[in-house]
Amino acid sequence: MTAVVLATAGYDHKIRFWEASSRVCTRTVRYPDSQVNCLAISDDKLFLAAGGNPHVRVFDVAHTQTSAPVAEFSHAGNATACGFCRDRSWLFSSSEDGTVKIWDLRAPPRCKTTFSCTDGKGDAVACHSACLRRGGDEIVSGDDSGRVRVWDVVADKCRETLRPADDVPVRAVACANDGSFLAAATRDADVYVWRPDDSDAHGLDHIIEAAHDAG
């Protein structure tokens, strides 16, 4: 296994693996029934997760003889983000169907947990982004209602909800590896950055306004 695993995908229904130093495509995997919206590589670089519409599929990186997925999971809409926990025992994914799901990789396609993203009326809203926090103890999601939610994976509940800007959809979320910062980008192109306090509740640290053209 090389030190670097570089993979790309998109609307051409293909996942491509590249040798980064030579820019040579070393492998192509077909994703025939959907575009690919997101990719994630496990920490040990042995498996790749790809999210499309409505599937999330896991592929073996090391064994190139087969292009068939080793596991497959389904949402009811576009998958928007995915990722592995550190020990690769489970996979998370978010979707436009308004859910963040945790899938048991030891017993696919079993769904261990479903977190629901809703608006103030309790109606489902599209979840546009999700990421792991603190090595997998928490998942952070951003959705169309303008909420950033911190989901406690162990307790199976939402631990905290942040509102960067009322009713402005959150397009992307990201966390520092050590959990020291949490960031969210909104449809208005503003980036909000929070820092946790001693109780691990997040207080707004600063805002980067109009980081890009709105959209």
Side-chain angles (χ1 to χ4, degrees):
M1 177 63 60
T2 59
V4 176
V5 176
L6 175 62
T8 60
Y11 276 74
D12 62 355
H13 300 263
K14 295 175 183 175
I15 301 169
R16 290 185 169 93
F17 294 87
W18 303 84
E19 188 177 273
S21 59
S22 66
R23 295 175 290 180
V24 172
C25 179
T26 58
R27 180 186 177 193
T28 300
V29 175
R30 294 278 303 169
Y31 205 99
D33 51 357
S34 167
Q35 78 280 359
V36 178
N37 301 319
C38 53
L39 293 174
I41 295 175
S42 60
D43 283 356
D44 57 13
K45 304 173 187 175
L46 295 179
F47 292 92
L48 175 83
N53 186 12
H55 310 99
V56 179
R57 292 173 175 142
V58 179
F59 298 91
D60 192 324
V61 174
H63 296 89
T64 60
Q65 295 85 355
T66 177
S67 296
V70 297
E72 180 174 314
F73 312 98
S74 291
H75 279 277
N78 269 301
T80 55
C82 58
F84 297 89
C85 71
R86 283 182 176 173
D87 66 2
R88 204 171 16 90
S89 60
W90 53 264
L91 172 83
F92 79 89
S93 60
S94 61
S95 171
E96 290 178 351
D97 67 7
T99 64
V100 177
K101 291 181 178 286
I102 297 177
W103 308 96
D104 190 345
L105 289 175
R106 295 166 297 190
R110 186 173 80 89
C111 179
K112 294 177 57 177
T113 305
T114 298
F115 298 124
S116 297
C117 300
T118 57
D119 60 16
K121 299 177 182 178
D123 296 325
V125 291
C127 182
H128 297 298
S129 182
C131 65
L132 288 179
R133 181 172 182 264
R134 296 197 182 282
D137 292 338
E138 295 174 339
I139 297 172
V140 177
S141 67
D143 61 49
D144 215 40
S145 73
R147 290 170 170 83
V148 175
R149 305 173 210 253
V150 181
W151 304 98
D152 188 321
V153 172
V154 177
D156 287 347
K157 66 179 183 180
C158 181
R159 184 180 66 77
E160 186 178 13
T161 300
L162 307 170
R163 295 290 300 275
D166 287 345
D167 301 323
V168 179
V170 175
R171 296 301 193 197
V173 293
C175 296
N177 288 337
D178 61 359
S180 58
F181 288 98
L182 187 162
T186 69
R187 187 185 60 189
D188 289 346
D190 297 328
V191 177
Y192 294 75
V193 181
W194 295 269
R195 185 196 293 267
D197 59 21
D198 292 340
S199 66
D200 210 27
H202 287 85
L204 186 63
D205 189 78
H206 62 276
I207 304 171
I208 305 171
E209 296 183 347
H212 295 273
D213 292 336

